[in-house]
Amino acid sequence: MDLSEKDEFSAEKRNPDNYDSVNNPSGDWRVSGSNPIDSYPSENLISAGPASCSPSQMMDSFGQTLWYDPTSVQAMGYGGFSVQNNGGNASSSSFRGNIDRSLEMGWNLPNLLPPKGNGLFLPNASSFLPPSMAQFPADSGFIERAARFSLFSGGNFSDMVNQPLGNPESIGLFLQRGGTMQGQCQSNELNVCEPHNDVSTVVKDPTVRSSEQAKPNVPGSGNVSEDTQSSGGNGRKGRETSSNTKKRKRNGQNSEAAQSHRSQQSEEEPDNNGDKKLNSEQSPNSPGNKTNSGKQQGKQSSDPPKDGYIHVRARRGQATNSHSLAERVRREKISERMKFLQDLVPGCNKVTGKAVMLDEIINYVQSLQRQVEFLSMKLATVNPQMDFNLEGLLAKDALQLRAGSSSTTTPFPPNMAMAYPPLPHGFMQQTLSSIGRTISSPFSSMNGGFKRQVCISDLAVCKVNNPRLTL
Amino acid sequence: MQPTSSMNEEFLKKWQMGLQIFRPSIDNTSVHERKKAIKLSADVAMASLRKGTTCWSRALIEKTATEDNFLVRQMLSGIKAEALINKKLPKKIVCHRKIVRRSKKILRRKSKSASEEAAAKAKRLVKRRTQGLRNVVPGGELMSNDVLLLQETLDYIVSLQTQVNVMRSIVDAAEAEIDQR
């Protein structure tokens, strides 16, 4: 029955969302479980779409895989997980099994995450788990964690691998934003992330989650599954916080890659030195753990609709209080936004400090608004008829009429004629075209300077033909 | 991120479309009327560029709609952005000042050390400035957190820069025409 369930689970894992499917029979992970730690670095753990699988099913299948070789697992500690860089088939399941085992080692997870509506969620967390998540039995949470763990990219594990075996590191909290793992994966030797964006985000999560929430807990399980799904979704978004990976590395291997920060997204930066925090894993009963796990599950990136969390990793030497972590995340986001604003607002490079920067920003916005008012007033006075018929400006190429051709009311190029609405006077179009010429040049180089290419002959023609024309 | 030329062109296009609507009622002899129409159409064009993705754009359209509903609707239909006017805004954040003040007083009594006071003062400054920013940015009061506020400010600044650039070029061109005469 175990195998059948597991196969069923594996089958579900092959989801259309592009996750690698977990086809492993349960026996695989057993074998892999005994592998030395060396096999870590190139692990291609891709949990088949936790998002697509129903957590209950995952949970069921996982339940069977637990409790294998507890002794061996213990000997290897965290390092006991053998991460194999398959196409994500066997390794994921095996990995999961390993994780489950280690997790099961008497860790008592306190009550997992607080309810979704917690203040831990970042304000821009767009989604929360559906209420049904909370109904999962305790096992599901465990399985979810394991699944997430399996999504863990090999790079992360390499960090773990480097640790002495007998020192299972508590991973602490991870801070992720959707697609974070994406970047990590790319830098990693693993191919985990490449085909599946979803996987990437989960990379960090599972380790932390699983470690900290080893205890199957009903409330936590919902959150865990939530995390799994969200992490999957996050990866899909492809956003990455390479900084996250950087900080996660214990050995300072900040190779992880592509720091493709989305400009509008502040990327959380987990700490490299989560080692200290990892220790908290070993004492799952510690309040820090509890809060951390609570916080973890509370925070997910909000990329896809399912996600709503951002996984934060506590820095070395810092409090693991959930509130402080949330605060740190928020502060980092704000500082990132302020950096962009500094680039935008002229003359703010030397300014440091939030208050002064905000002051400058307020002044700049107010000055821009006043400028708009002033310019609109000026336009109103300059052109009483308000006939700024400058659609021709859009067709820059067509506005290359030269003086020679404009000595007479030459027929305009077809595109220009079509661009203008029917005007009573053809020379009006001429004038406007000349205006367009002058305006189109600044558009290409909006630096305030603007060359006057007005053809005097055009204007003369216009003036002659239509003395009433007021410009 | 500075405004790109494509943004300028888009804005100009939409602005022109909006101005067309005012063309029939061009007999506004008052300069202020004209200016109001120009600014209104420019604002609506600027907000419609974002197609309702940002909070400030929706708030701006709401604001202009209350002033001159009919014209704004016409303009939006001209720009084919009618959906914007129906977009819902987040709820306004209401702060009961008395309660807030009382709680602040209580908090102030607690911390007396110098460093804490300095930090508290810095926080107060920042809070005051963010409140000022909320007043300036359209829809600022509706944004629940600072992160969102800063994001919206970023977008709003870029749009304002676009607007200013386009208007300035047109004014310069028009003035050049006048000078050439």
Side-chain angles (χ1 to χ4, degrees), chain A residues 123-124 263-266 330 333-335 337-338 340-346 354-359 361-362 364-366 368-369 371-391 393-394 396 421 423 431-432 434-436 438-439 442-446 448 450 452 454 456 459 463 469-471, chain B residues 1-6 8-10 12-13 15-17 19-20 22-23 26 28 31-39 42-43 122 125-133 136-138 144-148 150-158 160-181:
Chain A
N124 55 1
S263 65
Q264 297 283 335
Q265 297 288 339
S266 66
R330 185 180 151 271
K333 278 192 172 175
I334 288 183
S335 62
R337 305 270 192 275
M338 297 285 279
F340 287 124
L341 281 168
Q342 247 183 345
D343 296 335
L344 211 52
V345 178
K354 259 197 240 177
V356 188
M357 258 305 296
L358 282 173
D359 212 24
I361 291 168
I362 290 175
Y364 186 61
V365 170
Q366 277 176 337
L368 282 177
Q369 286 174 337
Q371 260 183 329
V372 168
E373 294 255 356
F374 172 71
L375 284 171
S376 63
M377 172 73 83
K378 198 165 182 186
L379 270 176
T381 57
V382 154
N383 197 329
Q385 285 85 7
M386 294 219 317
D387 45 8
F388 312 107
N389 206 349
L390 304 167
E391 287 123 350
L393 296 177
L394 300 174
K396 278 191 216 168
L423 289 177
T431 312
L432 290 168
S434 59
I435 294 177
T438 60
I439 294 180
F443 279 177
S444 46
S445 64
M446 283 302 238
F450 115 97
R452 300 186 175 188
V454 178
I456 297 182
L459 293 171
K463 192 176 179 185
L469 183 64
T470 58
L471 282 175
Chain B
M1 145 176 151
Q2 303 291 331
T4 63
S5 60
S6 64
N8 293 332
E9 287 175 18
E10 273 183 48
L12 180 64
K13 201 195 298 185
W15 187 27
Q16 290 299 323
M17 283 200 274
L19 276 179
Q20 296 282 346
F22 285 99
R23 208 55 72 79
I26 206 76
N28 304 329
V31 176
H32 293 283
E33 287 287 320
R34 291 204 297 271
K35 169 231 168 190
K36 192 177 157 194
I38 289 173
K39 183 157 184 297
D43 286 343
L125 270 180
V126 170
K127 267 198 175 174
R128 199 160 293 172
R129 304 269 164 84
T130 48
Q131 185 57 43
L133 191 59
V136 172
V137 174
S144 47
N145 58 324
D146 293 345
V147 178
L148 187 65
L150 287 179
Q151 204 165 321
E152 296 280 325
T153 306
L154 211 54
D155 201 46
Y156 184 59
I157 286 180
V158 171
L160 274 180
Q161 281 176 339
T162 311
Q163 205 176 6
V164 167
N165 284 338
V166 170
M167 287 177 116
R168 190 183 288 146
S169 338
I170 292 187
V171 168
D172 288 346
E175 283 192 331
E177 296 286 349
I178 293 175
D179 294 344
Q180 298 281 347
R181 260 193 280 152

Side-chain angles (χ1 to χ4, degrees), chain A residues 24 28-45 73 76-86 90-99 101 149-150 157 160-161:
Chain A
N24 250 354
D28 288 356
W29 63 262
R30 231 181 283 190
V31 175
S32 58
S34 53
N35 289 349
I37 298 177
D38 307 331
S39 60
Y40 260 98
S42 58
E43 190 64 27
N44 187 6
L45 300 177
V73 174
M76 295 191 279
Y78 241 146
F81 300 116
S82 61
V83 178
Q84 295 155 10
N85 197 359
N86 305 338
S91 52
S92 45
S93 59
S94 62
F95 191 60
R96 247 176 253 117
N98 290 337
I99 295 173
R101 274 181 287 166
F149 203 78
S150 65
F157 274 7
M160 281 181 8
V161 176

Side-chain angles (χ1 to χ4, degrees), chain A residues 252-323:
Chain A
Q253 324 161 358
N254 292 335
S255 59
E256 321 270 350
Q259 308 221 356
S260 51
H261 293 270
R262 283 194 19 187
S263 65
Q264 297 283 335
Q265 297 288 339
S266 66
E267 303 306 312
E268 310 310 331
E269 307 193 3
D271 262 319
N272 282 331
N273 306 320
D275 298 350
K276 208 172 191 183
K277 293 308 147 197
L278 295 184
N279 293 331
S280 64
E281 263 187 344
Q282 307 190 4
S283 57
N285 292 328
S286 68
N289 255 348
K290 302 184 187 182
T291 51
N292 284 348
S293 37
K295 186 171 175 127
Q296 270 183 356
Q297 302 201 345
K299 302 179 75 87
Q300 286 181 6
S301 66
S302 54
D303 304 358
K306 300 174 214 164
D307 296 337
Y309 294 103
I310 293 193
H311 309 300
V312 189
R313 183 166 199 173
R315 289 197 187 139
R316 185 191 188 110
Q318 286 191 359
T320 59
N321 189 16
S322 62
H323 291 299

